[in-house]
Amino acid sequence: MAVSTPSDLHTEQQPEKQDKKRTRQQAALLGLFVADAAALGLHWLYDPERLDALQEAHRSLAFRPVTDEAYKDAKGIFVHHQRHTGTLSQYGETARLALEVWGRQEQENAPSAFQAEYVRHFGPGGTYNGYIDRPTRATLDAVAAAGDTPSLLSGADDDQLPAVITTAATTLALGAADATTLETMTRITNNNDFATGAAQILGNWLHNTIETGDSTFSESFLTSEKSELSNRLADAASSGQTVSEAAEHYGRACNLIQGFPLALTILRNTQSYREAIEANIHAGGDSCGRSMIIGPIAGARWGLGGENGIPLDWILQLSDARDIWNNIQTLTRQASK
């Protein structure tokens, strides 16, 4: 009878380890898109009482109809008249462009290809039909003004959550939270030092979650340059606040200084992907923006299906799920080489 040596066991275990890592990669990316689509129906609803009433009436807040019904006589703004249940917000659409570009481009060409696709998709005559926010408009104007040779520093001087939209696809494509590339991708849409720091922190956190399966936030993920965001994230990582308390304390709006620590608090206080996404929507405000953080971390942590992973019925509600899944598989195959 043959006896396995330690080196034999290591060789046998490596494929299984790689399979688990690839599954976490796939779940991270899919988790982003499902989280964004799930939040769209109540995106930018800032009324805690209305959200409480909706949760009591419907139990689940995910994939609510994309209509203005919930916003009547409530604090909030409804802007997604041209979208429908299961589609992505402007955040998710941008993340999808990054996913597609990283899946088909050489690494050195991906940033410029992403910028060109961004303009084609969101610009005049583009394929996107929906709300154009201020950072997107400023980026489109900057690229148009530059003519045939736009700089990759085309983004708005803006420190809101759109800054981290491309972080998940970039980190997964490179297999690392590469500071230079993350900064380049961020500055295409958000040319702001605060924004690039946030992208680096999220990249560090996501990369560690992919590698280990542990989504615990560590102060080692913070950048060397201390900032108000670093201080708030360190506070959120150790605070005993509930999600509701954190929403009041940090704020529900689009700024990274509010959205990132609230997203961290949500992930610390929930024990499944479903619970994290429901808590994100119930927190109100820029729930789609926070999905760019919560979705990939929760997906990588809890995986696909089962008791704690991304619910299969939610995946089936995602419009273009087949195309998105095919693009995810393409990117993760490349990342595993």
Side-chain angles (χ1 to χ4, degrees):
M1 175 175 146
V3 178
S4 297
T5 66
S7 61
D8 293 330
L9 292 172
H10 177 73
T11 302
E12 292 169 1
Q13 290 169 359
Q14 281 298 99
E16 181 181 356
K17 183 178 180 181
Q18 285 299 111
D19 287 345
K20 289 182 178 179
K21 178 178 174 180
R22 186 177 173 196
T23 298
R24 288 195 292 268
Q25 292 173 328
Q26 293 172 338
L29 291 168
L30 187 59
L32 182 155
F33 295 108
V34 172
D36 179 70
L40 185 66
L42 299 175
H43 184 214
W44 283 328
L45 180 58
Y46 280 86
D47 196 318
E49 291 184 1
R50 178 60 55 83
L51 287 159
D52 284 344
L54 288 167
Q55 187 172 59
E56 183 176 351
H58 302 288
R59 298 186 63 185
S60 173
L61 297 179
F63 292 98
R64 296 301 308 154
V66 186
T67 71
D68 63 358
E69 184 65 30
Y71 296 75
K72 292 178 179 178
D73 301 318
K75 300 173 185 175
I77 175 173
F78 180 72
V79 299
H80 298 299
H81 305 80
Q82 295 161 300
R83 312 303 282 168
H84 59 81
T85 305
T87 57
L88 302 171
S89 72
Q90 71 274 20
Y91 301 134
E93 289 283 339
T94 304
R96 183 174 179 176
L97 293 179
L99 169 66
E100 292 172 354
V101 165
W102 278 112
R104 67 172 183 263
Q105 293 289 334
E106 296 294 331
Q107 289 184 4
E108 62 270 20
N109 298 326
S112 58
F114 168 73
Q115 184 187 60
E117 288 294 323
Y118 186 87
V119 172
R120 276 194 287 269
H121 189 59
F122 290 107
T127 51
Y128 175 70
N129 185 25
Y131 178 69
I132 300 290
D133 55 31
R134 185 176 63 83
T136 302
R137 174 56 55 199
T139 299
L140 294 173
D141 290 345
V143 175
D148 295 334
T149 56
S151 165
L152 292 178
L153 304 178
S154 56
D157 183 8
D158 187 276
D159 62 357
Q160 297 182 84
L161 284 160
V164 299
I165 286 172
T166 62
T167 299
T170 303
T171 301
L172 279 251
L174 301 179
D178 180 73
T180 299
T181 310
L182 282 172
E183 178 172 355
T184 299
M185 289 292 290
T186 301
R187 289 192 186 276
I188 291 172
T189 59
N190 292 71
N191 188 17
N192 176 280
D193 291 342
F194 193 91
T196 60
Q200 182 66 56
I201 294 169
L202 177 57
N204 293 340
W205 187 12
L206 179 58
H207 177 65
N208 186 75
T209 306
I210 293 292
E211 292 294 319
T212 67
D214 182 358
S215 62
T216 303
F217 187 86
S218 167
E219 290 194 32
S220 66
F221 303 152
L222 301 174
T223 55
S224 57
E225 296 183 7
K226 293 295 182 182
S227 66
E228 185 180 357
L229 178 60
S230 295
N231 293 335
R232 283 196 171 200
L233 289 172
D235 176 67
S238 59
S239 171
Q241 288 181 325
T242 65
V243 173
S244 295
E245 290 169 343
E248 293 295 329
H249 178 69
Y250 297 117
R252 301 174 170 85
C254 308
N255 302 85
L256 284 158
I257 200 70
Q258 298 183 35
F260 206 145
L262 179 53
L264 171 54
T265 302
I266 289 169
L267 287 161
R268 288 187 68 245
N269 280 275
T270 51
Q271 300 303 315
S272 70
Y273 180 89
R274 182 190 295 271
E275 187 183 355
I277 302 314
E278 292 281 4
N280 177 43
I281 301 170
H282 185 252
D286 193 11
S287 49
C288 285
R290 294 191 303 269
S291 293
M292 302 298 107
I293 300 169
I294 295 169
I297 296 293
R301 168 65 181 85
W302 287 298
L304 301 171
E307 184 176 349
N308 296 320
I310 304 172
L312 298 181
D313 59 323
W314 284 9
I315 297 172
L316 292 173
Q317 293 188 69
L318 180 63
S319 295
D320 298 327
R322 183 191 294 270
D323 289 341
I324 290 171
W325 178 245
N326 287 339
N327 288 324
I328 288 171
Q329 289 183 304
T330 297
L331 180 56
T332 53
R333 273 197 300 267
Q334 293 182 359
S336 64
K337 290 181 180 178

